[in-house]
Amino acid sequence: MIKIFITFVTLTTTCSFAPLQLQAQNQNQSPIPSLKETFKNDFLIGTALNTAQIQEKDPAAAQLIPLQFNAATPENIMKAAIIHPGWDQYNFTLADQLVAYGQKNKIKITAHTLIWHSQLPDFVRSIKSPDSLRQFFTNHITTLASRYDGKVFSWDVVNEALEENGSLRKSIFLQLLGEDYIVEAFRLAQKAAPHTELYYNDYNIEQPKKRAGAVEIIKKIKAAGVRIDGVGIQGHWRASHIPLAEIEQSILDFSALGVKVMFTELDLSVLPNPWDRDNADVSATAGNSTGKDPYPNGLPDSVQNVLTKGYEDLFKLFLKHKDKISRITFWGVNDGQSWLNDFPIRGRTNYPTLFDRAYKAKPAFYAVIATKK
Ligand code: XIL
């Protein structure tokens, strides 16, 4: 699985260069409204950024991102496998570039992520002793959180620590460090990064059982006298099945705990998901796309309408609770760059964001803007 993810990193890094022709075309287009301006009194509007975008190698993206977004999350470059590949080896270059990019463009950075079971470096995955893992855990959090304190706006301190039934995921951290590892991660982050907001982030935590697990985590951190500033609901949903009622209840339940609520990785898939039918293991279903890529040449209007309506419904709900929501971040600037073209099946054609493959605003973009009117 890690290997697959690392392939995606390479893919997303290399595939998103816009042709020069496209730049010219975009420059001739009349200006479109700005998401960050439209919602400036409501919440931050963020995007995930890949390497090419951080390095401004993608001209169309370099033009669009600062106009539309005032928040960003590195899609991969601050994950442990990339930023901390060996015991005493750190690759800070890209993260430092991201911080500079954010400063230049007035974009608040949420660093992603300190403690996560996925995209771990090989040396961590082969650790067997609690002492060694604790040493990695302490060094990793302390080194990164202190280096970027005050330079990034926030950290996803712990990512995806829950199973669907609300129990703690049986990750290497739970198995070797015990269930207090989550509180300890926040304690270390708080010490190293006193000027940085600290969040718990996960997917499907709008669902009742998993939400109850997240509520327990937040309560436990607070009961230990440790700081947690917010909770991120990732928001990887299917456009045709957005759990609006559960999302609304989650906004209420989480904010009642006194933390900020964020939607941190929003994208709406329009493709069939094999998991919905057979609940198979990720690696088992991530095969090739033969016969499973229904819209390789464009989205039919009927499906485009479902996507548009999905985004419209969501933003109406977000605005209703804008006093509790601090940020909405899209997981990818445009459709071509989205991880959902390669997950859970590689090589498909998905349409989950507000901008098409030529960075043109889609009907969903205009529907989101219109929710403010
Ligand atoms: C994804 C990236 O988008 C891909 O490029 C990478 O190959 C795998 O990870 N939950 C998270 C994100 O917290 O970090 C994941 O990002 C998507 C699911």
Side-chain angles (χ1 to χ4, degrees):
M1 197 56 205
I2 296 295
K3 276 207 184 107
I4 295 169
F5 276 169
I6 288 172
T7 315
F8 293 163
V9 178
T10 320
L11 278 174
T12 48
T13 308
T14 50
C15 290
S16 40
F17 295 87
L20 286 175
Q21 205 187 348
L22 171 65
Q23 271 183 74
Q25 181 194 320
N26 266 6
Q27 276 157 11
N28 291 338
Q29 277 168 7
S30 52
I32 59 170
S34 160
L35 291 166
K36 72 171 186 185
E37 289 301 325
T38 303
F39 296 103
K40 67 172 186 267
N41 296 323
D42 308 315
F43 22 68
L44 295 169
I45 299 286
T47 180
L49 292 180
N50 65 25
T51 305
Q53 292 161 345
I54 293 165
Q55 298 186 327
E56 298 178 271
K57 286 186 175 162
D58 179 337
Q63 193 184 23
L64 184 81
I65 292 164
L67 294 173
Q68 294 293 334
F69 302 104
N70 49 20
T73 306
E75 187 174 4
N76 287 296
I77 58 120
M78 293 184 86
K79 292 172 179 172
I82 297 173
I83 204 164
H84 189 178
W87 270 112
D88 296 314
Q89 195 194 344
Y90 289 88
N91 289 332
F92 295 128
T93 311
L94 285 167
D96 290 354
Q97 285 173 2
L98 174 66
V99 167
Y101 178 88
Q103 280 166 353
K104 184 173 87 176
N105 293 300
K106 298 192 170 54
I107 289 175
K108 289 191 162 82
I109 305 297
T110 294
H112 174 82
T113 174
L114 287 169
I115 296 300
W116 186 31
H117 65 281
S118 255
Q119 287 177 279
L120 282 171
D122 287 343
F123 82 93
V124 175
R125 286 188 298 135
S126 58
I127 289 175
K128 297 281 179 288
S129 90
D131 282 354
S132 299
L133 189 64
R134 190 165 295 282
Q135 194 185 335
F136 160 77
F137 186 86
T138 307
N139 291 348
H140 182 74
I141 296 174
T142 306
T143 305
L144 290 170
S146 61
R147 180 178 180 94
Y148 294 107
D149 186 35
K151 295 186 173 161
V152 298
F153 180 73
S154 47
W155 266 108
D156 289 338
V157 178
V158 176
N159 195 35
E160 301 181 354
L162 289 164
E163 306 275 5
E164 297 306 295
N165 67 7
S167 66
L168 290 181
R169 183 188 288 273
K170 285 157 204 63
S171 67
I172 185 172
F173 301 108
L174 181 71
Q175 278 165 348
L176 293 187
L177 303 180
E179 61 178 43
D180 283 345
Y181 85 88
I182 299 177
V183 172
E184 289 315 308
F186 278 83
R187 199 193 301 278
L188 288 165
Q190 164 179 309
K191 193 164 168 229
H195 310 98
T196 308
E197 295 200 355
L198 307 177
Y199 307 144
Y200 177 71
N201 194 56
D202 209 334
Y203 61 88
N204 286 354
I205 48 170
E206 72 281 355
Q207 297 299 334
K209 286 184 187 151
K210 207 164 175 181
R211 186 199 316 155
V215 166
E216 279 315 301
I217 286 177
I218 296 164
K219 282 186 175 165
K220 211 174 154 191
I221 295 168
K222 286 183 169 262
V226 174
R227 178 167 62 91
I228 173 167
D229 301 292
V231 57
I233 301 170
Q234 289 186 5
H236 299 292
W237 292 304
R238 283 183 291 157
S240 55
H241 291 77
I242 304 174
L244 288 170
E246 303 300 3
I247 296 169
E248 179 160 37
Q249 195 57 50
S250 306
I251 296 169
L252 298 172
D253 288 1
F254 289 137
S255 73
L257 300 172
V259 293
K260 296 178 180 179
V261 181
M262 280 148 275
F263 292 86
T264 53
E265 304 186 12
L266 181 57
D267 50 24
L268 299 181
S269 177
V270 296
L271 298 184
N273 180 350
W275 295 347
D276 303 332
R277 285 196 299 272
D278 55 23
N279 204 24
D281 181 62
V282 182
S283 47
T285 57
N288 69 45
S289 62
T290 314
K292 298 172 194 152
D293 189 22
Y295 317 118
N297 302 315
L299 208 52
D301 285 348
S302 58
V303 187
Q304 187 82 263
N305 291 343
V306 170
L307 181 80
T308 303
K309 172 85 166 47
Y311 270 116
E312 182 184 336
D313 290 346
L314 271 175
F315 271 77
K316 283 184 178 160
L317 182 63
F318 295 157
L319 282 172
K320 180 177 171 194
H321 295 291
K322 63 182 185 180
D323 57 322
K324 306 170 192 74
I325 299 174
S326 60
R327 172 168 55 94
I328 312 292
T329 291
F330 296 88
W331 205 242
V333 178
N334 80 353
D335 288 343
Q337 179 225 329
S338 167
W339 74 307
L340 293 176
N341 295 303
D342 289 303
F343 184 87
I345 296 174
R346 259 174 283 168
R348 299 200 295 179
T349 316
N350 213 331
Y351 300 83
T353 75
L354 299 186
F355 294 94
D356 72 13
R357 286 168 165 74
Y359 290 93
K360 188 162 171 278
K362 291 159 56 173
F365 171 90
Y366 292 101
V368 163
I369 296 280
T371 58
K372 263 307 266 190
K373 286 171 191 151

